[in-house]
Amino acid sequence: MSTERTQVLLSQEETVRQYEFIEKAALHVQRLKEELGRQPTCCVTTFGCQMNARDSEKLTGILERAGYQLIEEENADFVIFNTCTVRDNANQRVYGRLGVLNGYKRKNPNMKIALCGCMMQEPTVIEKIKESYRFVDLIFGTHNIYKFAELLNSTFENKGMVIDIWKDTDKIVEDLPVERKYPFKSGINIMFGCNNFCSYCIVPYVRGRERSRRPEDIIREITNLVADGVVEVMLLGQNVNSYGKNLEEPMTFAELLRKIEKIEGLERIRFMTSHPKDLSDELIQVMKESKKICRHLHLPLQSGSTRILKDMNRRYTKEQYLALAEKIRREIPDMAITTDIIVGFPGETPEDVEETIDVVRKVNYDNAFTFIYSKRTGTPAAAMENQVSEDVVKAGFDKVLKVVQDTAREQVTKYRGMVMDALVEEVNEHDTTLLTGRLSNNTLVHFPGDASLIGKIVNVSLDECHGFYYMGHMVD
Ligand code: SAH
Ligand code: SF4
Ligand code: F3S
């Protein structure tokens, strides 16, 4: 039997096992309910990227099936932090919030605290928690998240801290319960892990090697979601452009998109993230011809200096990036392009920052996330000499941010007066007579309307531009 086929059978067996653990956990939760005289509550807090957000929906699905009621407050009976470690400030926030949880747990001895996600894949973090945060009940990592039901169960059956961390995995377990945050849109993992090893980045170490899901599993999941009311999907992977390379029957990302496009009832397709080095002409063609792929491409630049890009191991030059952006603007003029930029990578000079600013001006990003370089232990960049001093980084960061905001504002204004379709996402937080919708190019628009339209795609006239969003009104 082929290895892929064996994997599928093992995965199915594992799914059945995990459902058995959900039932076992449900008995414990039922007992707790009787003891408390009310339904036990749970809270899932997510740090980090869309991939973590999707993982949290899986955690929530299992907790709800086990009998917990999901609440927003962190003084619940079961609290889980799904952590991120891409930059150090994400880690610091977790430690701060853990202190608060300890206070809640003193008042509620039945409370259980769990930690999972990327930060837990770092041995130094585990040491620190074992030493200073003894009140944590369960710790697991990114590779065995599919075992959550089993681990949840073990927190009822074991005393003390349960720790289960794996170094890596080649396993993908399908068909576990998921509880979506939004009924009308959903993230879909198309691949896990990353093989790029950009020299500053910890993701490949904490998320493991690149693995693609089989296209039939992806299509089946999306088809089921559409039957359940989903109109927009976001295909998730650290580098979606290298999707399918290691499948038994290799397939390109562009080919996958063509298949997804055919799913009836699905209205919008987004994806994230595209690595510039792997963005093919075939993909540009598919985006251009597609009626469903949204007019938004997130194309992380990181730096505009070819020298820094080389040290970052990004495997493209400033010129190659600019040529690619130009080609996309030429082929698909209404495509919004957004990016990520890092300021303060080791060895970066003010001249390098000027190169980055030059790219920002030339590409005219519709939006850009600018980050201060954060040293991640274990990555090649952490060992590089000439780390940049804080005040030089700050000056460069402020400069880039200013240009980024100016170009983004200019780009967003371009569509004033036009009518575009918006997916209605929610009632506006500040003014409940307004709805908030998302345009295909990812810009938000607020307009008068009724909550019954949530999840529908409507035509909106973009009347006024307020910096990064529009005020508008619906038209037939
Ligand atoms: N796979 C995606 C990005 C994942 S991390 C990609 O390649 O684009 C999201 C963003 O965090 C990155 O694009 C990068 O800009 C930023 N980032 C990653 N590591 C960082 C670090 N050590 N310091 C600062 N920013 C970092
Ligand atoms: Fe990190 Fe680079 Fe992989 Fe993105 S492509 S996750 S930045 S190593
Ligand atoms: Fe953070 Fe892990 Fe995502 S480190 S950015 S949550 S993949």
Side-chain angles (χ1 to χ4, degrees), residues 148-167:
F148 176 51
E150 185 174 348
L151 295 165
L152 171 65
N153 202 56
S154 66
T155 64
F156 288 101
E157 295 177 359
N158 293 322
K159 282 213 160 61
M161 205 185 263
V162 177
I163 304 181
D164 192 7
I165 314 278
W166 298 1
K167 273 206 149 57

Side-chain angles (χ1 to χ4, degrees), residues 188-203:
I188 314 279
N189 301 104
I190 62 165
M191 57 207 296
F192 301 94
C194 180
N195 284 353
N196 288 311
F197 290 96
C198 302
S199 65
Y200 51 81
C201 184
I202 199 155
V203 171

Side-chain angles (χ1 to χ4, degrees), residues 47-49 52 83-86 118 203 207 238:
F47 300 82
C49 64
N52 256 20
T83 63
C84 168
T85 185
V86 77
C118 296
V203 171
R207 286 273 174 174
Q238 293 298 350

Side-chain angles (χ1 to χ4, degrees), residues 145-187:
I145 189 168
Y146 71 83
K147 277 180 68 186
F148 176 51
E150 185 174 348
L151 295 165
L152 171 65
N153 202 56
S154 66
T155 64
F156 288 101
E157 295 177 359
N158 293 322
K159 282 213 160 61
M161 205 185 263
V162 177
I163 304 181
D164 192 7
I165 314 278
W166 298 1
K167 273 206 149 57
D168 206 347
T169 186
D170 55 3
K171 212 165 178 167
I172 298 178
V173 180
E174 300 283 347
D175 299 319
L176 290 170
V178 191
E179 184 57 39
R180 291 196 310 279
K181 193 169 170 197
Y182 300 95
F184 52 86
K185 67 172 185 177
S186 180

